[in-house]
């Protein structure tokens, strides 16, 4: 079974995030980068399925980004992924174009199952997975947890939706799944794993390799324009309510009722 | 311009997001525009849902009713929408940032090759009829402002940020579409639906949320959160730490790897306020923090704070809320 896991390298949101002078990007100095947490959950599920599927199964990572993106590929391969594919790209592109690029890569690589994290924690958009499913012409589902093999080419999984509802689905491969945070913690890479990862293959593509022309890029790029980045409005300075617990509680309720008018 | 909104329903009830989207649509509608609600459901339900959509801001309800559309399913909904949406004329489509909307809209957007702006918290329209929207990025530390361009422009709006309008005297038309649905390419079969929590109110729809973190010291103490929550008619939330520890289910988690919530009131109890948690609740209108540690980062973001022991404060707070409600 061939499993592809799409991963994204994102800035650690605990980093200091500052808007760059051009007001269209963030300052990169001092940023630490990590694998998108939801992609880690996806990779963990993929590795479990690989174990269950046995011989002749492999997990391949797929990503788009500049050179530093190879860090998350090595990290993923250290966890157990067998190989990786990088579409080398310096400039940020919007989601539909990214999905088009991923689809072009997957036309060259066999797959039974494609995983994406439900969203990336930098932009929180979650568009690429469903868009990719449309472009590939395969079935898909989102917010998936605990996928399991229930036959050679059949999977069962849960889908977490609003109201604490969990749906259970079965589907035949090929499928694309976007993963929600599930009960399985992503495994740590072992030292042997890290060493082995250095020898594993990263296949690289450029835009030219994927026959997406400058014109196509420009036309698609025109659809969405980033006007600019701004800081959110500052919250008003809050107040700490003094006094004994009893007094503070009474005062808090009064403020919530009379001042804030939320209860 | 035709401004379409996609209605959502579940178990025979129309979801509030359907009405919120109509309010958003009215906000950007100009004189000659028609505000639509698209309703996909089963035959026995359109008569019940159409008037509600009309009363809350739709000029026209475009509906298709069939057994295959009774429950949301991405491929069928995508086919039905492609059928109903204009093929030649410009339009906007507003979709809710729910699991349904977030699954469906990008799939449709790729099919139509139309731009999609996601997770929007503000929406406006330029002179040239381009949609302009703001969406939070990097755990809400930055707002990104985008404009889309094209005949068809799609946008996903975060739930719970706008109040539904009441327009009972608006003239409203109901238009029925007969959509013939092609068999799906996938083989997805729904096997089971389970309700995993007792509260039916989803965090993303709640007006008041009471959340608990490590400061509660153990799952057996969460009743303090539940009692306050019940007194307030609120939903219960949790930090990642207590979800990972197995004290609370993931569906209650608020934060970067949990839910993003937009209540009018968020009460964080025994939660320190890590960036990843703030990412999920900074859009709350009013934030209250209760924590033993005066240096907890959450106090920097709270509108009101009590430095104190949750075991003392929470029962007193619950009592005081009950007293207020009685008066």
């Amino acid at each position: 079974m061939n499993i592809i896991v799409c991963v994204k390298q994102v800035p650690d949101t605990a980093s200091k995030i500052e808007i760059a002078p051009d007001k269209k990007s963030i300052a990169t100095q001092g940023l630490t980068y990590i694998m998108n947490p939801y992609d880690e959950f996806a990779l963990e599920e993929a590795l479990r399925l690989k174990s269950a599927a046995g011989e002749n199964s492999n997990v391949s990572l797929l990503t788009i980004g500049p050179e530093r993106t190879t860090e998350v590929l090595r990290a993923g391969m250290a966890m157990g992924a067998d190989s990786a594919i990088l579409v080398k790209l310096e400039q940020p592109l919007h989601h539909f174009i990214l999905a088009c690029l991923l689809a072009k890569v997957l036309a060259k690589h066999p797959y039974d199952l494609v995983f994406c994290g439900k969203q990336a924690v930098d932009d929180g958009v979650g568009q690429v997975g469903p868009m990719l499913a449309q472009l590939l012409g395969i079935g898909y589902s989102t917010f998936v947890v605990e996928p399991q093999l229930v036959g050679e080419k059949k999977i069962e999984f849960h889908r977490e939706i609003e109201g604490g509802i969990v749906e259970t689905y079965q589907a035949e491969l090929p499928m694309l799944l976007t993963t929600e945070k599930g009960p399985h913690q992503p495994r740590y890479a072992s030292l042997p794993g890290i060493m082995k990862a250095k020898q594993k293959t990263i296949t690289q593509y450029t835009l030219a390799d994927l026959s997406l022309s400058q014109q196509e890029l420009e036309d698609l790029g025109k659809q969405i324009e980033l006007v600019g980045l701004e800081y959110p409005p500052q919250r008003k300075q809050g107040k700490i309510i003094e006094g004994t617990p009893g007094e503070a509680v009474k005062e808090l309720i009064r403020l919530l009722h009379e001042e804030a008018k939320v209860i | 311009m035709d401004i379409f909104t996609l209605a959502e329903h579940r178990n025979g009830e129309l979801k509030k997001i359907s009405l919120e989207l109509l309010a958003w649509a009215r906000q950007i509608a100009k004189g000659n525009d028609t505000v639509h609600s698209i309703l996909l459901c089963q035959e026995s339900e359109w008569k019940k849902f159409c008037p509600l959509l009309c009363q809350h801001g739709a000029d026209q309800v475009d509906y298709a009713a069939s057994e295959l559309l009774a429950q949301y399913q991405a491929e069928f909904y995508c086919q039905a929408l492609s059928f109903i949406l204009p093929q030649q004329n410009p339009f906007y489509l507003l979709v809710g940032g729910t699991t349904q909307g977030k699954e469906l809209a990008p799939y449709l957007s790729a099919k139509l090759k139309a731009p999609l702006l996601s997770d929007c918290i503000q929406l406006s329209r330029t002179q040239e009829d381009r949609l302009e929207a703001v969406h939070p990025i990097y755990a809400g530390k930055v707002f990104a402002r985008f404009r889309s361009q094209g005949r068809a422009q799609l946008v996903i709006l975060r739930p719970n940020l706008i109040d539904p309008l009441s327009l009972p005297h608006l003239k409203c038309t109901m238009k029925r579409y007969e959509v013939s649905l092609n068999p799906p390419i996938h083989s997805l079969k729904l096997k089971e639906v389970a309700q995993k929590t007792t509260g039916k109110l989803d965090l993303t729809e709640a007006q008041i949320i009471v959340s608990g973190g490590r400061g509660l010291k153990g799952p057996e103490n969460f009743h303090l959160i539940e009692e306050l929550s019940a007194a307030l008619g609120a939903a219960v939330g949790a930090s990642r730490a207590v979800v990972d520890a197995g004290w609370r289910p993931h569906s209650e988690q608020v934060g970067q790897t949990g839910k993003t919530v937009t209540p009018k009131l968020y009460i964080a109890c025994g939660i320190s306020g890590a960036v990843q948690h703030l990412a999920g609740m900074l859009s709350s209108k009013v934030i209250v923090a209760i924590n033993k540690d005066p240096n907890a980062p959450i106090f920097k973001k709270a509108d009101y704070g009590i430095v104190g022991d949750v075991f003392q404060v929470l029962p007193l707070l619950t009592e005081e809320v009950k007293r207020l409600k009685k008066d």
Side-chain angles (χ1 to χ4, degrees):
Chain A
M1 190 168 72
N2 292 316
I3 307 175
I4 307 279
V5 182
C6 299
V7 300
K8 186 180 184 188
Q9 185 184 49
V10 297
D12 186 348
T13 50
S15 310
K16 190 158 172 58
I17 305 282
E18 275 175 359
I19 299 176
D22 68 355
K23 291 207 168 32
K24 297 212 175 176
S25 57
I26 56 166
T28 50
Q29 216 171 9
L31 279 183
T32 39
Y33 294 95
I34 56 170
M35 183 186 296
N36 177 36
Y38 286 106
D39 301 340
E40 270 192 318
F41 299 132
L43 178 52
E44 176 58 34
E45 296 306 325
L47 293 170
R48 284 171 179 251
L49 284 174
K50 176 189 162 181
S51 298
E55 302 284 318
N56 297 328
S57 287
N58 62 76
V59 172
S60 193
L61 304 170
L62 172 54
T63 194
I64 302 178
E67 183 63 42
R68 61 167 155 76
T69 316
T70 50
E71 288 161 23
V72 301
L73 296 177
R74 294 286 170 209
M77 291 191 289
M79 277 168 73
D82 300 287
S83 57
I85 306 162
L86 167 66
V87 178
K88 196 105 168 277
L89 209 61
E90 294 300 322
Q91 77 263 46
L93 294 172
H94 72 74
H95 304 85
F96 184 56
I97 306 179
L98 296 177
C100 288
L101 291 172
L102 295 174
K104 293 218 181 225
V105 169
L106 291 178
K108 301 172 193 279
H109 291 260
Y111 59 87
D112 296 294
L113 191 47
V114 180
F115 275 107
C116 297
K118 81 167 189 192
Q119 65 193 49
V121 297
D122 54 0
D123 60 24
V125 156
Q127 288 180 8
V128 171
M131 287 179 164
L132 182 55
Q134 174 71 243
L135 295 170
L136 294 175
I138 61 177
Y140 79 112
S141 195
T142 57
F143 309 104
V144 169
V145 295
E146 293 184 282
Q148 276 173 40
L149 269 181
V150 292
E152 209 195 294
K153 293 270 169 143
K154 199 167 186 187
I155 48 167
E156 186 172 292
F157 55 89
H158 304 300
R159 188 169 176 262
E160 283 193 5
I161 62 174
E162 286 86 357
I165 294 175
V166 178
E167 299 173 323
T168 304
Y169 286 92
Q170 271 188 9
E172 275 160 36
L173 304 178
M175 277 285 284
L176 183 145
L177 301 176
T178 81
T179 47
E180 173 58 278
K181 174 174 183 261
H184 306 137
Q185 292 281 35
R187 61 196 65 185
Y188 286 109
S190 63
L191 201 45
I194 297 172
M195 298 314 295
K196 273 200 211 130
K198 296 192 185 173
Q199 306 303 324
K200 291 177 179 172
T201 315
I202 300 181
T203 307
Q204 289 202 15
Y205 290 102
T206 60
L207 280 185
D209 297 327
L210 301 174
S211 57
L212 202 61
S213 68
Q214 259 319 110
Q215 189 60 58
E216 260 183 288
L217 271 186
E218 269 174 40
D219 290 340
L220 286 174
K222 277 204 202 92
Q223 288 191 330
I224 296 185
E225 178 198 344
L226 171 62
V227 177
L229 302 182
E230 45 198 73
Y231 289 111
Q234 282 275 47
R235 289 188 83 100
K236 246 175 51 223
Q237 175 82 342
K239 57 173 89 138
I240 301 282
I241 303 170
E242 308 281 348
T244 65
E247 291 164 355
V249 158
K250 281 198 161 60
E251 178 60 3
L252 175 63
I253 294 295
R254 189 192 71 76
L255 288 166
L256 290 177
H257 182 59
E258 292 173 17
E259 187 175 276
K261 298 199 209 292
V262 286
I263 58 170
Chain B
M1 178 71 77
D2 287 295
I3 308 177
F4 293 91
T5 62
L6 179 62
E8 277 192 42
H9 56 88
R10 191 168 183 98
N11 292 337
E13 271 175 44
L14 194 63
K15 305 228 84 173
K16 183 161 160 278
I17 185 69
S18 318
L19 312 180
E20 291 174 23
L21 293 171
L22 287 169
W24 284 108
R26 289 265 145 217
Q27 205 176 87
I28 57 166
K30 291 181 187 165
N32 281 342
D33 295 341
T34 307
V35 170
H36 303 247
S37 181
I38 300 180
L39 173 67
L40 307 174
C41 62
Q42 61 191 323
E43 193 62 59
S44 58
E45 285 181 331
W46 66 266
K47 279 207 188 102
K48 178 167 66 157
F49 294 150
C50 282
L52 292 172
L53 296 165
C54 289
Q55 285 155 27
H56 289 90
D59 294 313
Q60 179 164 309
V61 180
D62 299 299
Y63 72 95
S66 130
E67 271 324 291
L68 292 176
L69 296 172
Q71 296 271 49
Y72 157 75
Q73 196 284 308
E75 247 193 279
F76 286 143
Y77 269 45
C78 187
Q79 284 184 42
L81 287 172
S82 305
F83 186 82
I84 292 171
L85 291 167
Q87 312 280 350
Q88 314 263 6
N89 292 336
F91 67 87
Y92 303 141
L93 173 63
L94 277 52
V95 175
T98 59
T99 53
Q100 176 180 313
K102 290 195 278 197
E103 179 175 90
L104 177 63
Y107 192 66
L108 178 67
S109 148
K111 179 173 185 170
L112 301 176
K113 293 193 173 37
L116 169 64
L117 300 177
S118 284
D119 193 29
C120 300
I121 60 173
Q122 283 175 36
L123 184 66
S124 59
R125 175 181 177 176
T126 69
Q127 295 273 45
E128 306 83 32
D129 287 338
R130 297 170 66 188
L131 283 183
E132 181 170 308
V134 168
H135 114 81
I137 55 176
Y138 300 111
K141 290 179 177 179
V142 173
F143 283 176
R145 182 176 292 274
F146 288 98
R147 276 191 203 132
S148 57
Q149 182 167 285
R151 179 185 73 86
Q153 297 174 52
L154 279 52
V155 63
I156 294 179
L157 289 146
R158 214 182 254 196
N160 217 14
L161 286 178
I162 197 171
D163 291 321
L165 301 167
S166 182
L167 297 169
H169 304 296
L170 198 65
K171 181 173 183 300
C172 181
T173 329
M174 297 192 286
K175 182 171 178 185
R176 187 185 177 99
Y177 286 80
E178 299 296 344
V179 186
S180 52
L181 295 168
N182 297 325
I185 49 171
H186 69 82
S187 57
L188 269 175
K189 279 191 181 31
L190 180 62
K191 301 242 88 166
E192 196 192 309
V193 179
Q195 178 83 46
K196 291 278 164 156
T197 55
T198 46
K200 298 269 185 58
L201 188 59
D202 191 72
L203 282 175
T204 54
E205 298 163 354
Q207 299 290 27
I208 307 178
I209 297 174
V210 184
S211 253
R214 280 224 114 93
L216 271 299
K217 299 265 192 292
E220 66 280 8
N221 299 321
F222 257 78
H223 68 90
L224 293 171
I225 301 282
E226 287 167 350
E227 279 150 23
L228 176 56
S229 184
L232 284 166
V236 173
S239 68
R240 179 174 183 168
V242 307
V243 169
D244 284 352
W247 301 358
R248 305 301 295 187
H250 178 250
S251 56
E252 285 181 4
Q253 184 177 326
V254 172
Q256 186 165 266
T257 52
K259 297 206 161 81
T260 300
V261 298
T262 47
K264 296 203 156 55
L265 174 60
Y266 188 89
I267 306 179
C269 313
I271 292 177
S272 62
V275 169
Q276 292 86 350
H277 187 78
L278 296 177
M281 40 67 75
L282 272 183
S283 293
S284 308
K285 183 153 166 265
V286 175
I287 298 173
V288 171
I290 304 167
N291 198 299
K292 218 165 35 178
D293 175 8
N295 296 316
I298 191 120
F299 285 120
K300 289 208 180 75
K301 303 291 179 185
D303 300 291
Y304 306 108
I306 295 182
V307 179
D309 189 333
V310 288
F311 296 107
Q312 287 193 310
V313 175
L314 287 179
L316 291 170
L317 201 46
T318 306
E319 239 180 79
E320 198 57 32
V321 168
K322 287 183 182 162
R323 197 169 302 154
L324 179 73
K325 298 251 163 171
K326 247 197 241 152
D327 296 337

